[in-house]
Amino acid sequence: APAPAGQQKIDLSARALVAAATKYVVEYEKRFKFLIADESYTQTVFDHDRRETGRRWMKGELFLTFIPADSAWLAVHDFAEVDGEPVEDREDLRALLQKGETVSVVRSVLSRNSRFNLGSIIRNFNEPTLPLLILEPHRVQRFSFNREEVIRTAGQTSARLSFRERERPTLVRDGENRPVYSRGEITIDAATGRVERTMIELLDDNVLARLTTTYALDEKVDMWVPVTFAERYERTSREREVILCEAAYTNYRRFEVTARIK
C-alpha cells in the first residue's frame, strides 16, 4: 500500500530493521548514563510437582548504566527491604558510588544481594538491558535475524524480529568460560529502530533461562527505559525446579557519579 502523503515508506526488510535498531542502540548507550530507579522485585520457586516452595518480595533501588570501555551494561540491585523487613547491614548505594572505585562497590553489593536469591539455580546475568548488546555494531554480525511480524497501530508500525546467536565469542559464558548461545526476539519501532521489548533465552547445562524486558517512555529522563523485567529459570533435569522473578521499575532519575568506572 502507498505511504500516506508526507510520510516516508518504511523499509520493513529484516536487514533494514536491524540496521535501524543498531543505530538506535549506539545513540541509546551514549545517552543512558547513571540512572537510578525504584525497584519492586518478587521471586517465586516451584518444585518438580509444580508446588510453590518459596516466595520473596523485595524493594530497593536499581542502579543502571552503560560502560563504554567494557561495552557492557552494569545493573546493581540495592535492596532496602526483604519480605517487609529492612535490610540491617545495607550501605547506601549512592554514598558508596561517590566514595570509591565502582567495580569494588558493585562486587560488594552483588555479593550481599545474592544471599536473597531463592532456589538452587545460580543467576548472575539478570540485567534488563542485556539483549541490547546484541545490536551493537561489533556484535550484530554474530547473529541471524528474521522478521516474524509487523504490528500496525494508530500512527506506528512496529516489527518483531527473532534472533539466533551463531558465532563466538558469545554474549554469555558459563562458569567455566564456555560459550552459551542465545536466541530470542526483539520488538522495535520500525521507523526509528527504538527497542520496545526484548526476550532472550539461554540454555546452560540443564537450566533454561528466559528474560523478558518491556520498555516505555519516561518523560522525566526523556528516554524509553525498562519498566518491567520478567525472569524464568527452569532446571530441566530430574530435580526439576522453576524460579519466576518479576521486577517493576519506577521513578527514574539521573545520578552523577564522581568515582571512576573502569
Side-chain angles (χ1 to χ4, degrees):
Q7 260 190 34
Q8 220 175 353
K9 189 166 169 54
I10 301 167
D11 187 342
L12 292 172
S13 66
R15 181 188 290 268
L17 292 166
V18 170
T22 300
K23 188 177 175 185
Y24 171 81
V25 164
V26 168
E27 284 306 308
Y28 190 81
E29 289 174 345
K30 287 178 190 167
R31 292 187 63 208
F32 202 113
K33 292 284 169 69
F34 308 123
L35 293 189
I36 284 185
D38 293 341
E39 178 174 23
S40 175
Y41 188 74
T42 58
Q43 301 179 49
T44 315
V45 184
F46 301 89
D47 66 11
H48 58 281
D49 292 322
R50 292 186 165 83
R51 286 179 306 209
E52 186 180 312
T53 57
R55 183 183 287 260
R56 172 152 285 165
W57 178 69
M58 303 187 284
K59 271 172 62 178
E61 291 180 329
L62 171 76
F63 169 77
L64 194 58
T65 194
F66 181 73
I67 307 172
D70 297 333
S71 186
W73 285 92
L74 178 67
V76 185
H77 306 263
D78 184 30
F79 294 115
E81 200 176 292
V82 176
D83 295 332
E85 296 293 321
V87 175
E88 293 295 339
D89 56 352
R90 180 192 181 220
E91 289 190 72
D92 179 9
L93 175 63
R94 279 170 286 190
L96 278 172
L97 287 168
Q98 292 287 18
K99 85 181 179 193
E101 284 291 353
T102 307
V103 171
S104 60
V105 169
V106 170
R107 286 201 191 103
S108 68
V109 173
L110 288 180
S111 62
R112 280 209 311 274
N113 282 344
S114 62
R115 66 190 165 163
F116 301 132
N117 282 350
L118 296 179
S120 63
I121 297 170
I122 295 168
R123 44 209 192 267
N124 60 1
F125 48 79
N126 53 340
E127 294 162 5
T129 45
L130 175 72
L132 296 183
L133 297 178
I134 291 162
L135 293 163
E136 289 194 321
H138 69 284
R139 284 194 178 100
V140 73
Q141 305 301 328
R142 300 177 202 153
F143 293 81
S144 59
F145 294 87
N146 282 311
R147 195 193 76 198
E148 300 295 335
E149 186 183 14
V150 174
I151 308 138
R152 289 185 171 91
T153 53
Q156 185 184 338
T157 301
S158 297
R160 183 167 58 85
L161 299 165
S162 63
F163 67 83
R164 186 175 289 271
E165 197 165 14
R166 297 173 299 135
E167 297 171 20
R168 303 186 204 188
T170 53
L171 196 60
V172 173
R173 289 176 292 281
D174 70 8
E176 293 171 25
N177 214 29
R178 294 173 300 203
V180 178
Y181 289 89
S182 62
R183 64 182 186 187
E185 294 180 347
I186 297 174
T187 302
I188 68 166
D189 173 54
T192 64
R194 180 182 64 226
V195 176
E196 299 181 343
R197 181 182 180 272
T198 62
M199 185 278 287
I200 186 169
E201 285 188 338
L202 303 138
L203 180 62
D204 179 13
D205 200 6
N206 61 359
V207 173
L208 178 64
R210 182 188 299 136
L211 313 176
T212 305
T213 308
T214 57
Y215 290 76
L217 175 64
D218 185 296
E219 292 182 347
K220 194 165 148 191
V221 294
D222 191 27
M223 291 184 74
W224 279 62
V225 290
V227 289
T228 65
F229 182 47
E231 305 164 68
R232 186 184 193 277
Y233 304 91
E234 179 175 1
R235 191 185 300 284
T236 54
S237 61
R238 237 170 26 176
E239 285 76 44
R240 187 173 175 273
E241 178 182 49
V242 175
I243 301 172
L244 303 179
C245 306
E246 299 249 345
Y249 310 119
T250 54
N251 188 28
Y252 273 91
R253 58 264 187 209
R254 294 201 178 273
F255 169 62
E256 295 304 317
V257 172
T258 54
R260 189 164 58 91
I261 290 185
K262 65 173 188 180

